[in-house]
Amino acid sequence: MAFEYQAHRCISSCILLLVGVVLLLSAGTGSSASCYKRIFTFGDSIIDTGNFVQLIGHNPSPIKEPPYGMTFFHHPTGRICDGRVLIDFYAEALGLPLIPPNLPNENTGLFPWGANFAVFAATALPPEYFRNKWNHTVPGSSFLSSQIGWFKDMLHRLAPGDATKTVLSESLIILGEIGGNDYNFWLLSRRPRDVAYQFIPDVVSIIINTAQVLINLGAKTIMIPGNFPIGCVPEYLEAFKTNNPADYDEFHCLKWFNDFSMRHNQALSNEINRLRAQHPGVKLIYADYFGANMEIFKNPHIFGIRDPLLACCGGKGYSDGKSCDKNAILLGDPANFASWDGIHMTEKAYNAIADGVLRGKFAKPPLLYSC
């Protein structure tokens, strides 16, 4: 009996592996218009679709409760938003089903259309970097290398050997946005802001090194987004508000913090150009999230947004520090706001940013025309 049981387990495992490979290799039949058969994503809360809530298990969290998810799904989904996030809009535009989070089914999922490895509060650099070098503790539960580890485990299970390169060559990899929390955790804890400049080379380096790892595995198309204009984020506007008009730009955003984001983005773009020159057979797309997001602040009325500097959930003025949770007061319909909770954006804002990357001037080349 023991022998029969072990044989049965072996046969079952082999069947599961075979089915996984077949599904991965034949994925993308949901739409003949899709130029990628699947999408794999890495990042933080901007595109987390459920990994964080899986990590915390039965522990309570506001994002497990309404009003999260109220706009599109009509129930909480693990997204830190009122509805869809960037990866959802990319998948829809590319003719694919919504990409599932990895962790809920990391040992059994077949992921025929790809998987999302992003986690709320994730950093690019590991916690020990900040602890050992800067005596600073980051609260994130994930970092880029851990997500790549999960990704490799999935590939080893579902597409071993030569199948890995085939699967990745037919897939779109979205590497970020990642790195924003490396700065957020430092700056919002009121540590000396100029020190954060010293993080930039290390944050950019780990992103580019990760892109190189993905290329070595067989990736042929990788989109690497830059960071957002944090000087326009309600949480920053509240934490660092001043009475000096010179601290603000014409859109009422904080100049220093937006300049900092641009410094990161320029360093990242330069390194992407360098990596692109080394790998002419690989399509490396820089997504200008800063520029796409700034369109909302420049012309909010075009997007139907009343005031892009107000937080819809839990905020008064910019953001009064109250949590966005089941007891929070909404200032109105999320469709009229760019900021959901003072840090994260509304579905409306994510839709506008995604459109600029998919069809507009905020990706080189635009994602829909990169096939």
Side-chain angles (χ1 to χ4, degrees), residues 131-174:
R131 185 174 57 249
N132 297 339
K133 192 169 183 178
W134 304 105
N135 192 29
H136 174 58
T137 300
V138 297
S141 56
S142 170
F143 52 98
L144 188 52
S145 293
S146 62
Q147 294 179 27
I148 292 296
W150 299 336
F151 175 65
K152 289 180 176 178
D153 288 344
M154 185 209 67
L155 285 177
H156 180 71
R157 181 169 63 85
L158 294 183
D162 292 340
T164 294
K165 290 188 179 296
T166 301
V167 165
L168 293 186
S169 69
E170 300 170 339
S171 302
L172 169 66
I173 308 293
I174 301 179

mmCIF file of all heavy atoms in Angstrom, residues 131-174:
data_model
loop_
_atom_site.group_PDB
_atom_site.id
_atom_site.type_symbol
_atom_site.label_atom_id
_atom_site.label_comp_id
_atom_site.label_asym_id
_atom_site.label_seq_id
_atom_site.Cartn_x
_atom_site.Cartn_y
_atom_site.Cartn_z
ATOM 1 N N ARG A 131 19.274 48.657 8.164
ATOM 2 C CA ARG A 131 19.639 48.405 9.555
ATOM 3 C C ARG A 131 21.139 48.523 9.761
ATOM 4 O O ARG A 131 21.605 49.180 10.705
ATOM 5 C CB ARG A 131 19.145 47.016 9.970
ATOM 6 C CG ARG A 131 19.375 46.701 11.438
ATOM 7 C CD ARG A 131 18.733 45.380 11.837
ATOM 8 N NE ARG A 131 19.204 44.251 11.044
ATOM 9 C CZ ARG A 131 18.457 43.596 10.170
ATOM 10 N NH1 ARG A 131 17.200 43.964 9.945
ATOM 11 N NH2 ARG A 131 18.940 42.582 9.487
ATOM 12 N N ASN A 132 21.913 47.908 8.896
ATOM 13 C CA ASN A 132 23.364 47.866 9.080
ATOM 14 C C ASN A 132 24.059 49.157 8.662
ATOM 15 O O ASN A 132 25.037 49.575 9.285
ATOM 16 C CB ASN A 132 23.962 46.692 8.292
ATOM 17 C CG ASN A 132 23.459 45.352 8.778
ATOM 18 O OD1 ASN A 132 22.982 45.230 9.907
ATOM 19 N ND2 ASN A 132 23.543 44.334 7.935
ATOM 20 N N LYS A 133 23.555 49.778 7.611
ATOM 21 C CA LYS A 133 24.245 50.950 7.077
ATOM 22 C C LYS A 133 23.729 52.257 7.665
ATOM 23 O O LYS A 133 24.484 53.220 7.809
ATOM 24 C CB LYS A 133 24.109 50.965 5.551
ATOM 25 C CG LYS A 133 25.027 51.976 4.867
ATOM 26 C CD LYS A 133 25.048 51.755 3.355
ATOM 27 C CE LYS A 133 26.023 52.720 2.687
ATOM 28 N NZ LYS A 133 26.097 52.505 1.216
ATOM 29 N N TRP A 134 22.444 52.298 8.034
ATOM 30 C CA TRP A 134 21.833 53.562 8.436
ATOM 31 C C TRP A 134 21.135 53.497 9.794
ATOM 32 O O TRP A 134 20.493 54.473 10.196
ATOM 33 C CB TRP A 134 20.830 54.015 7.365
ATOM 34 C CG TRP A 134 21.451 54.133 6.007
ATOM 35 C CD1 TRP A 134 21.315 53.287 4.961
ATOM 36 C CD2 TRP A 134 22.341 55.159 5.567
ATOM 37 N NE1 TRP A 134 22.047 53.706 3.884
ATOM 38 C CE2 TRP A 134 22.693 54.862 4.224
ATOM 39 C CE3 TRP A 134 22.865 56.312 6.162
ATOM 40 C CZ2 TRP A 134 23.545 55.666 3.482
ATOM 41 C CZ3 TRP A 134 23.715 57.110 5.416
ATOM 42 C CH2 TRP A 134 24.048 56.792 4.091
ATOM 43 N N ASN A 135 21.225 52.363 10.479
ATOM 44 C CA ASN A 135 20.553 52.194 11.768
ATOM 45 C C ASN A 135 19.084 52.574 11.668
ATOM 46 O O ASN A 135 18.518 53.287 12.497
ATOM 47 C CB ASN A 135 21.240 53.046 12.850
ATOM 48 C CG ASN A 135 20.770 52.687 14.248
ATOM 49 O OD1 ASN A 135 20.387 51.544 14.509
ATOM 50 N ND2 ASN A 135 20.795 53.654 15.151
ATOM 51 N N HIS A 136 18.454 52.058 10.631
ATOM 52 C CA HIS A 136 17.069 52.430 10.308
ATOM 53 C C HIS A 136 16.288 51.146 10.048
ATOM 54 O O HIS A 136 16.738 50.264 9.328
ATOM 55 C CB HIS A 136 17.077 53.322 9.063
ATOM 56 C CG HIS A 136 15.723 53.656 8.536
ATOM 57 N ND1 HIS A 136 14.751 54.282 9.282
ATOM 58 C CD2 HIS A 136 15.173 53.481 7.289
ATOM 59 C CE1 HIS A 136 13.677 54.474 8.546
ATOM 60 N NE2 HIS A 136 13.914 53.999 7.344
ATOM 61 N N THR A 137 15.106 51.054 10.637
ATOM 62 C CA THR A 137 14.266 49.871 10.481
ATOM 63 C C THR A 137 13.137 50.170 9.503
ATOM 64 O O THR A 137 12.419 51.164 9.657
ATOM 65 C CB THR A 137 13.667 49.447 11.824
ATOM 66 O OG1 THR A 137 14.732 49.149 12.731
ATOM 67 C CG2 THR A 137 12.796 48.201 11.662
ATOM 68 N N VAL A 138 12.994 49.322 8.491
ATOM 69 C CA VAL A 138 11.876 49.467 7.553
ATOM 70 C C VAL A 138 10.818 48.424 7.899
ATOM 71 O O VAL A 138 11.139 47.285 8.231
ATOM 72 C CB VAL A 138 12.348 49.311 6.089
ATOM 73 C CG1 VAL A 138 13.326 50.411 5.721
ATOM 74 C CG2 VAL A 138 12.969 47.949 5.839
ATOM 75 N N PRO A 139 9.542 48.798 7.820
ATOM 76 C CA PRO A 139 8.482 47.879 8.252
ATOM 77 C C PRO A 139 8.012 46.912 7.185
ATOM 78 O O PRO A 139 7.129 46.098 7.433
ATOM 79 C CB PRO A 139 7.350 48.849 8.628
ATOM 80 C CG PRO A 139 7.559 50.027 7.736
ATOM 81 C CD PRO A 139 9.039 50.155 7.555
ATOM 82 N N GLY A 140 8.552 46.993 6.000
ATOM 83 C CA GLY A 140 8.066 46.161 4.905
ATOM 84 C C GLY A 140 8.242 44.678 5.156
ATOM 85 O O GLY A 140 9.185 44.235 5.815
ATOM 86 N N SER A 141 7.319 43.898 4.593
ATOM 87 C CA SER A 141 7.356 42.447 4.765
ATOM 88 C C SER A 141 7.936 41.727 3.558
ATOM 89 O O SER A 141 7.974 40.511 3.514
ATOM 90 C CB SER A 141 5.934 41.938 5.023
ATOM 91 O OG SER A 141 5.074 42.342 3.971
ATOM 92 N N SER A 142 8.362 42.481 2.556
ATOM 93 C CA SER A 142 8.906 41.882 1.349
ATOM 94 C C SER A 142 9.895 42.854 0.727
ATOM 95 O O SER A 142 9.844 44.054 0.978
ATOM 96 C CB SER A 142 7.772 41.589 0.358
ATOM 97 O OG SER A 142 8.272 41.220 -0.910
ATOM 98 N N PHE A 143 10.820 42.336 -0.056
ATOM 99 C CA PHE A 143 11.736 43.173 -0.823
ATOM 100 C C PHE A 143 11.987 42.496 -2.152
ATOM 101 O O PHE A 143 11.560 41.349 -2.379
ATOM 102 C CB PHE A 143 13.025 43.465 -0.047
ATOM 103 C CG PHE A 143 13.723 42.247 0.489
ATOM 104 C CD1 PHE A 143 14.798 41.680 -0.183
ATOM 105 C CD2 PHE A 143 13.318 41.663 1.687
ATOM 106 C CE1 PHE A 143 15.445 40.556 0.306
ATOM 107 C CE2 PHE A 143 13.966 40.537 2.189
ATOM 108 C CZ PHE A 143 15.025 39.981 1.496
ATOM 109 N N LEU A 144 12.648 43.197 -3.044
ATOM 110 C CA LEU A 144 12.719 42.741 -4.431
ATOM 111 C C LEU A 144 13.339 41.362 -4.567
ATOM 112 O O LEU A 144 12.834 40.513 -5.314
ATOM 113 C CB LEU A 144 13.482 43.770 -5.273
ATOM 114 C CG LEU A 144 13.487 43.555 -6.781
ATOM 115 C CD1 LEU A 144 12.075 43.373 -7.332
ATOM 116 C CD2 LEU A 144 14.170 44.739 -7.473
ATOM 117 N N SER A 145 14.412 41.099 -3.846
ATOM 118 C CA SER A 145 15.069 39.792 -3.970
ATOM 119 C C SER A 145 14.169 38.653 -3.509
ATOM 120 O O SER A 145 14.213 37.550 -4.068
ATOM 121 C CB SER A 145 16.374 39.779 -3.174
ATOM 122 O OG SER A 145 17.316 40.667 -3.741
ATOM 123 N N SER A 146 13.342 38.901 -2.496
ATOM 124 C CA SER A 146 12.432 37.848 -2.046
ATOM 125 C C SER A 146 11.380 37.561 -3.107
ATOM 126 O O SER A 146 11.001 36.400 -3.333
ATOM 127 C CB SER A 146 11.780 38.224 -0.713
ATOM 128 O OG SER A 146 10.993 39.396 -0.833
ATOM 129 N N GLN A 147 10.911 38.602 -3.780
ATOM 130 C CA GLN A 147 9.938 38.393 -4.848
ATOM 131 C C GLN A 147 10.545 37.616 -6.019
ATOM 132 O O GLN A 147 9.892 36.749 -6.603
ATOM 133 C CB GLN A 147 9.397 39.745 -5.322
ATOM 134 C CG GLN A 147 8.575 40.467 -4.275
ATOM 135 C CD GLN A 147 8.069 41.820 -4.735
ATOM 136 O OE1 GLN A 147 7.887 42.056 -5.934
ATOM 137 N NE2 GLN A 147 7.835 42.730 -3.797
ATOM 138 N N ILE A 148 11.782 37.918 -6.343
ATOM 139 C CA ILE A 148 12.463 37.167 -7.403
ATOM 140 C C ILE A 148 12.642 35.706 -6.987
ATOM 141 O O ILE A 148 12.552 34.793 -7.816
ATOM 142 C CB ILE A 148 13.815 37.814 -7.747
ATOM 143 C CG1 ILE A 148 13.596 39.189 -8.409
ATOM 144 C CG2 ILE A 148 14.647 36.920 -8.658
ATOM 145 C CD1 ILE A 148 12.884 39.125 -9.749
ATOM 146 N N GLY A 149 12.870 35.476 -5.707
ATOM 147 C CA GLY A 149 12.963 34.105 -5.207
ATOM 148 C C GLY A 149 11.663 33.342 -5.414
ATOM 149 O O GLY A 149 11.671 32.177 -5.856
ATOM 150 N N TRP A 150 10.531 33.983 -5.102
ATOM 151 C CA TRP A 150 9.234 33.341 -5.342
ATOM 152 C C TRP A 150 9.043 33.066 -6.829
ATOM 153 O O TRP A 150 8.529 32.012 -7.222
ATOM 154 C CB TRP A 150 8.094 34.238 -4.860
ATOM 155 C CG TRP A 150 8.106 34.561 -3.411
ATOM 156 C CD1 TRP A 150 8.694 33.834 -2.409
ATOM 157 C CD2 TRP A 150 7.517 35.705 -2.769
ATOM 158 N NE1 TRP A 150 8.501 34.449 -1.196
ATOM 159 C CE2 TRP A 150 7.781 35.596 -1.383
ATOM 160 C CE3 TRP A 150 6.795 36.799 -3.230
ATOM 161 C CZ2 TRP A 150 7.347 36.538 -0.471
ATOM 162 C CZ3 TRP A 150 6.356 37.743 -2.328
ATOM 163 C CH2 TRP A 150 6.627 37.614 -0.958
ATOM 164 N N PHE A 151 9.462 34.013 -7.650
ATOM 165 C CA PHE A 151 9.325 33.883 -9.100
ATOM 166 C C PHE A 151 10.130 32.683 -9.613
ATOM 167 O O PHE A 151 9.622 31.873 -10.407
ATOM 168 C CB PHE A 151 9.808 35.179 -9.744
ATOM 169 C CG PHE A 151 9.838 35.175 -11.243
ATOM 170 C CD1 PHE A 151 8.667 35.078 -11.977
ATOM 171 C CD2 PHE A 151 11.034 35.311 -11.929
ATOM 172 C CE1 PHE A 151 8.690 35.112 -13.362
ATOM 173 C CE2 PHE A 151 11.072 35.336 -13.310
ATOM 174 C CZ PHE A 151 9.899 35.238 -14.028
ATOM 175 N N LYS A 152 11.359 32.540 -9.150
ATOM 176 C CA LYS A 152 12.188 31.414 -9.579
ATOM 177 C C LYS A 152 11.596 30.087 -9.129
ATOM 178 O O LYS A 152 11.633 29.095 -9.872
ATOM 179 C CB LYS A 152 13.612 31.576 -9.037
ATOM 180 C CG LYS A 152 14.412 32.682 -9.701
ATOM 181 C CD LYS A 152 15.805 32.766 -9.092
ATOM 182 C CE LYS A 152 16.668 33.795 -9.792
ATOM 183 N NZ LYS A 152 18.014 33.912 -9.172
ATOM 184 N N ASP A 153 11.044 30.060 -7.918
ATOM 185 C CA ASP A 153 10.404 28.832 -7.433
ATOM 186 C C ASP A 153 9.236 28.446 -8.329
ATOM 187 O O ASP A 153 9.042 27.266 -8.651
ATOM 188 C CB ASP A 153 9.898 29.025 -6.001
ATOM 189 C CG ASP A 153 11.023 29.089 -4.973
ATOM 190 O OD1 ASP A 153 12.151 28.678 -5.312
ATOM 191 O OD2 ASP A 153 10.773 29.555 -3.853
ATOM 192 N N MET A 154 8.434 29.432 -8.747
ATOM 193 C CA MET A 154 7.305 29.162 -9.624
ATOM 194 C C MET A 154 7.778 28.638 -10.973
ATOM 195 O O MET A 154 7.246 27.657 -11.496
ATOM 196 C CB MET A 154 6.482 30.423 -9.809
ATOM 197 C CG MET A 154 5.203 30.222 -10.614
ATOM 198 S SD MET A 154 4.698 31.704 -11.520
ATOM 199 C CE MET A 154 6.035 31.839 -12.701
ATOM 200 N N LEU A 155 8.803 29.286 -11.525
ATOM 201 C CA LEU A 155 9.314 28.844 -12.819
ATOM 202 C C LEU A 155 9.871 27.422 -12.744
ATOM 203 O O LEU A 155 9.656 26.609 -13.649
ATOM 204 C CB LEU A 155 10.413 29.795 -13.301
ATOM 205 C CG LEU A 155 9.975 31.153 -13.840
ATOM 206 C CD1 LEU A 155 11.193 31.986 -14.195
ATOM 207 C CD2 LEU A 155 9.059 31.004 -15.049
ATOM 208 N N HIS A 156 10.584 27.124 -11.677
ATOM 209 C CA HIS A 156 11.169 25.790 -11.516
ATOM 210 C C HIS A 156 10.079 24.724 -11.453
ATOM 211 O O HIS A 156 10.251 23.618 -11.962
ATOM 212 C CB HIS A 156 12.020 25.740 -10.248
ATOM 213 C CG HIS A 156 12.655 24.414 -10.005
ATOM 214 N ND1 HIS A 156 13.698 23.922 -10.763
ATOM 215 C CD2 HIS A 156 12.371 23.443 -9.077
ATOM 216 C CE1 HIS A 156 14.039 22.726 -10.328
ATOM 217 N NE2 HIS A 156 13.253 22.418 -9.312
ATOM 218 N N ARG A 157 8.952 25.083 -10.859
ATOM 219 C CA ARG A 157 7.859 24.112 -10.712
ATOM 220 C C ARG A 157 7.065 23.963 -12.000
ATOM 221 O O ARG A 157 6.684 22.860 -12.379
ATOM 222 C CB ARG A 157 6.930 24.561 -9.579
ATOM 223 C CG ARG A 157 5.755 23.622 -9.308
ATOM 224 C CD ARG A 157 5.052 23.994 -8.021
ATOM 225 N NE ARG A 157 4.478 25.335 -8.097
ATOM 226 C CZ ARG A 157 3.280 25.609 -8.609
ATOM 227 N NH1 ARG A 157 2.553 24.633 -9.120
ATOM 228 N NH2 ARG A 157 2.829 26.842 -8.617
ATOM 229 N N LEU A 158 6.823 25.069 -12.681
ATOM 230 C CA LEU A 158 5.921 25.038 -13.829
ATOM 231 C C LEU A 158 6.610 24.990 -15.183
ATOM 232 O O LEU A 158 6.025 24.526 -16.148
ATOM 233 C CB LEU A 158 4.996 26.259 -13.789
ATOM 234 C CG LEU A 158 4.002 26.320 -12.628
ATOM 235 C CD1 LEU A 158 3.117 27.545 -12.758
ATOM 236 C CD2 LEU A 158 3.157 25.061 -12.583
ATOM 237 N N ALA A 159 7.811 25.501 -15.266
ATOM 238 C CA ALA A 159 8.485 25.558 -16.571
ATOM 239 C C ALA A 159 9.961 25.219 -16.403
ATOM 240 O O ALA A 159 10.831 26.068 -16.602
ATOM 241 C CB ALA A 159 8.312 26.935 -17.194
ATOM 242 N N PRO A 160 10.278 23.990 -16.036
ATOM 243 C CA PRO A 160 11.682 23.621 -15.805
ATOM 244 C C PRO A 160 12.468 23.536 -17.110
ATOM 245 O O PRO A 160 11.907 23.385 -18.191
ATOM 246 C CB PRO A 160 11.564 22.240 -15.144
ATOM 247 C CG PRO A 160 10.282 21.683 -15.673
ATOM 248 C CD PRO A 160 9.361 22.858 -15.825
ATOM 249 N N GLY A 161 13.783 23.661 -16.945
ATOM 250 C CA GLY A 161 14.671 23.472 -18.094
ATOM 251 C C GLY A 161 14.466 24.499 -19.186
ATOM 252 O O GLY A 161 14.288 25.693 -18.934
ATOM 253 N N ASP A 162 14.448 24.027 -20.419
ATOM 254 C CA ASP A 162 14.354 24.918 -21.569
ATOM 255 C C ASP A 162 13.004 25.631 -21.645
ATOM 256 O O ASP A 162 12.886 26.670 -22.303
ATOM 257 C CB ASP A 162 14.580 24.136 -22.867
ATOM 258 C CG ASP A 162 16.017 23.638 -23.002
ATOM 259 O OD1 ASP A 162 16.892 24.206 -22.314
ATOM 260 O OD2 ASP A 162 16.253 22.691 -23.777
ATOM 261 N N ALA A 163 11.983 25.089 -20.980
ATOM 262 C CA ALA A 163 10.658 25.717 -21.027
ATOM 263 C C ALA A 163 10.677 27.105 -20.406
ATOM 264 O O ALA A 163 9.882 27.971 -20.778
ATOM 265 C CB ALA A 163 9.630 24.841 -20.306
ATOM 266 N N THR A 164 11.599 27.343 -19.461
ATOM 267 C CA THR A 164 11.684 28.649 -18.810
ATOM 268 C C THR A 164 11.936 29.751 -19.826
ATOM 269 O O THR A 164 11.261 30.787 -19.841
ATOM 270 C CB THR A 164 12.788 28.660 -17.746
ATOM 271 O OG1 THR A 164 12.435 27.769 -16.690
ATOM 272 C CG2 THR A 164 12.992 30.047 -17.177
ATOM 273 N N LYS A 165 12.918 29.561 -20.686
ATOM 274 C CA LYS A 165 13.250 30.595 -21.670
ATOM 275 C C LYS A 165 12.104 30.820 -22.651
ATOM 276 O O LYS A 165 11.835 31.957 -23.052
ATOM 277 C CB LYS A 165 14.536 30.221 -22.421
ATOM 278 C CG LYS A 165 15.794 30.294 -21.561
ATOM 279 C CD LYS A 165 17.043 30.109 -22.388
ATOM 280 C CE LYS A 165 18.300 30.210 -21.535
ATOM 281 N NZ LYS A 165 18.463 31.551 -20.932
ATOM 282 N N THR A 166 11.412 29.741 -23.018
ATOM 283 C CA THR A 166 10.271 29.887 -23.919
ATOM 284 C C THR A 166 9.170 30.714 -23.266
ATOM 285 O O THR A 166 8.625 31.643 -23.867
ATOM 286 C CB THR A 166 9.714 28.508 -24.314
ATOM 287 O OG1 THR A 166 10.744 27.753 -24.954
ATOM 288 C CG2 THR A 166 8.526 28.650 -25.248
ATOM 289 N N VAL A 167 8.849 30.373 -22.029
ATOM 290 C CA VAL A 167 7.798 31.087 -21.306
ATOM 291 C C VAL A 167 8.145 32.567 -21.158
ATOM 292 O O VAL A 167 7.322 33.449 -21.434
ATOM 293 C CB VAL A 167 7.573 30.445 -19.921
ATOM 294 C CG1 VAL A 167 6.766 31.365 -19.012
ATOM 295 C CG2 VAL A 167 6.873 29.105 -20.068
ATOM 296 N N LEU A 168 9.367 32.867 -20.754
ATOM 297 C CA LEU A 168 9.746 34.257 -20.515
ATOM 298 C C LEU A 168 9.878 35.047 -21.810
ATOM 299 O O LEU A 168 9.607 36.243 -21.835
ATOM 300 C CB LEU A 168 11.040 34.319 -19.716
ATOM 301 C CG LEU A 168 10.943 33.799 -18.275
ATOM 302 C CD1 LEU A 168 12.242 34.033 -17.525
ATOM 303 C CD2 LEU A 168 9.794 34.461 -17.535
ATOM 304 N N SER A 169 10.270 34.408 -22.873
ATOM 305 C CA SER A 169 10.399 35.130 -24.138
ATOM 306 C C SER A 169 9.048 35.592 -24.674
ATOM 307 O O SER A 169 8.973 36.530 -25.463
ATOM 308 C CB SER A 169 11.096 34.253 -25.179
ATOM 309 O OG SER A 169 10.265 33.170 -25.577
ATOM 310 N N GLU A 170 7.975 34.927 -24.233
ATOM 311 C CA GLU A 170 6.630 35.265 -24.684
ATOM 312 C C GLU A 170 5.878 36.138 -23.678
ATOM 313 O O GLU A 170 4.704 36.428 -23.871
ATOM 314 C CB GLU A 170 5.826 33.981 -24.909
ATOM 315 C CG GLU A 170 6.422 33.056 -25.951
ATOM 316 C CD GLU A 170 5.749 31.695 -25.979
ATOM 317 O OE1 GLU A 170 5.121 31.317 -24.962
ATOM 318 O OE2 GLU A 170 5.852 31.015 -27.010
ATOM 319 N N SER A 171 6.563 36.556 -22.629
ATOM 320 C CA SER A 171 5.904 37.248 -21.521
ATOM 321 C C SER A 171 6.369 38.693 -21.414
ATOM 322 O O SER A 171 7.471 39.046 -21.822
ATOM 323 C CB SER A 171 6.220 36.531 -20.201
ATOM 324 O OG SER A 171 5.812 35.179 -20.231
ATOM 325 N N LEU A 172 5.511 39.503 -20.835
ATOM 326 C CA LEU A 172 5.865 40.859 -20.444
ATOM 327 C C LEU A 172 6.228 40.841 -18.964
ATOM 328 O O LEU A 172 5.460 40.340 -18.142
ATOM 329 C CB LEU A 172 4.690 41.808 -20.676
ATOM 330 C CG LEU A 172 4.808 43.216 -20.072
ATOM 331 C CD1 LEU A 172 5.935 44.002 -20.732
ATOM 332 C CD2 LEU A 172 3.477 43.962 -20.181
ATOM 333 N N ILE A 173 7.396 41.374 -18.639
ATOM 334 C CA ILE A 173 7.819 41.516 -17.247
ATOM 335 C C ILE A 173 7.669 42.988 -16.866
ATOM 336 O O ILE A 173 8.168 43.872 -17.572
ATOM 337 C CB ILE A 173 9.285 41.098 -17.050
ATOM 338 C CG1 ILE A 173 9.547 39.703 -17.640
ATOM 339 C CG2 ILE A 173 9.648 41.148 -15.569
ATOM 340 C CD1 ILE A 173 8.866 38.573 -16.950
ATOM 341 N N ILE A 174 6.981 43.257 -15.766
ATOM 342 C CA ILE A 174 6.869 44.623 -15.253
ATOM 343 C C ILE A 174 7.613 44.684 -13.928
ATOM 344 O O ILE A 174 7.190 44.099 -12.931
ATOM 345 C CB ILE A 174 5.398 45.046 -15.087
ATOM 346 C CG1 ILE A 174 4.668 44.957 -16.431
ATOM 347 C CG2 ILE A 174 5.317 46.460 -14.528
ATOM 348 C CD1 ILE A 174 3.202 45.321 -16.367
#
